[in-house]
Amino acid sequence: MTNHGNSPMGHGRPVVRRRIPEGAEVRVAELYWDAFGRKLGPALNPPETAREFIAAHLHHDRGVAALIDGEVVGVAGYQLGGRALTGGGARDVLSTYGTLRGLPRLMLLALLSRTPAAHELVMDGIAVSPVHRGRGIGSLLLTEVAALAAGHGCRRIRLDVIDVNPRARALYERHGFAAARTERTPYLRDLMGFSAVTTMYRPITVADSREER
Ligand SMILES: CC(C)(COP(=O)(O)OP(=O)(O)OC[C@H]1O[C@@H](n2cnc3c(N)ncnc32)[C@H](O)[C@@H]1OP(=O)(O)O)[C@@H](O)C(=O)NCCC(=O)NCCS
């Protein structure tokens, strides 16, 4: 594990766990909502309900967590074997939001959903607490996800990045992701705040497998 030493803010070094710790569900939901609330809001608002929904349906085994002094400060969710970090099926959405209000929400969630191809791990979102950004935690999470993808025999990682997030895209490019295609989504600009989505891939390398060992 990379040693990041102590920060000027006096925090300990980050450690990475291949599972969301029990009891960290609300914290993870908050991080996720801070990062993706603009995008997920139309489907899961109001924020209070959304955070509760995410926390209640979390799949602990589909998230890599970064912790400092026992507190989760970053999370990377992924899909593998038909399971994603954020769970909750149609029935859960309808029982939380009601049938009438739930149905259009299901359509929006379907619009945002991605299905992995064979031998592919799909990243569902990486979020670092705003006060801890720019200190290498996002990079640690990406490295760990690549190693676990190698361990599962995946050949590549896929993720989607929106046009209003060039810094995240730059980070992915530094980690070996390359843009494959961009889908323009002007109809989502007012609703979700972005008007194009770029799909990026990163092949799993021998170095990832070495990291896994
Ligand atoms: C993207 C994100 C996970 C990066 O985590 P991080 O711990 O800051 O990442 P690192 O410290 O390893 O790398 C920093 C790099 O991340 C990128 N980055 C993206 N957004 C950033 C932000 N708000 N603050 C700092 N760095 C950011 C930059 O490329 C930055 O490098 P730079 O300072 O040279 O520009 C984090 O900024 C975040 O949670 N952003 C909000 C959620 C998000 O946009 N997720 C990606 C959706 S596709």
Side-chain angles (χ1 to χ4, degrees), residues 5-208:
N6 287 327
S7 80
M9 296 161 75
H11 296 297
R13 65 177 188 193
V15 293
V16 175
R17 299 257 179 278
R18 265 190 202 184
R19 194 181 159 84
I20 304 298
E22 294 300 327
E25 299 79 12
V26 170
R27 171 71 176 152
V28 167
E30 278 168 6
L31 285 176
Y32 232 64
W33 191 253
D34 274 359
F36 306 115
R38 177 78 178 91
K39 183 172 164 185
L40 296 173
L44 298 178
N45 268 334
E48 183 91 339
T49 311
R51 286 191 291 260
E52 277 171 22
F53 186 87
I54 294 170
H57 300 288
L58 216 58
H59 291 144
H60 296 71
D61 58 345
R62 290 297 181 264
V64 173
L67 290 90
I68 293 181
D69 299 334
E71 183 196 28
V72 176
V73 296
V75 59
Y78 61 91
Q79 280 189 59
L80 197 64
R83 247 166 107 79
L85 175 65
T86 48
R91 197 185 301 170
D92 303 306
V93 172
L94 296 178
S95 76
T96 302
Y97 296 94
T99 310
L100 217 58
R101 292 199 184 160
L103 281 173
R105 288 165 186 270
L106 282 177
M107 286 166 63
L108 287 173
L109 288 171
L111 209 64
L112 296 173
S113 77
R114 302 282 178 265
T115 310
H119 306 294
E120 190 176 85
L121 176 148
V122 171
M123 286 192 64
D124 264 345
I126 168 165
V128 171
S129 138
V131 294
H132 293 97
R133 285 180 195 163
R135 293 173 50 209
I137 294 171
S139 297
L140 279 178
L141 292 170
L142 283 172
T143 303
E144 195 68 17
V145 169
L148 81 83
H152 279 92
C154 296
R155 290 193 200 127
R156 67 180 184 182
I157 303 176
R158 170 183 167 181
L159 59 78
D160 288 338
V161 64
I162 54 181
D163 55 348
V164 290
N165 206 348
R167 293 190 74 190
R169 179 167 171 166
L171 174 68
Y172 298 143
E173 282 169 351
R174 284 207 295 276
H175 277 264
F177 285 87
R181 61 183 171 276
T182 296
E183 185 192 346
R184 291 190 35 76
T185 55
Y187 50 92
L188 292 178
R189 191 175 47 217
D190 290 341
L191 192 65
M192 296 187 185
F194 62 91
S195 30
V197 183
T198 298
T199 298
M200 304 182 84
Y201 292 106
R202 177 200 183 287
I204 297 300
T205 62
V206 176
D208 297 323

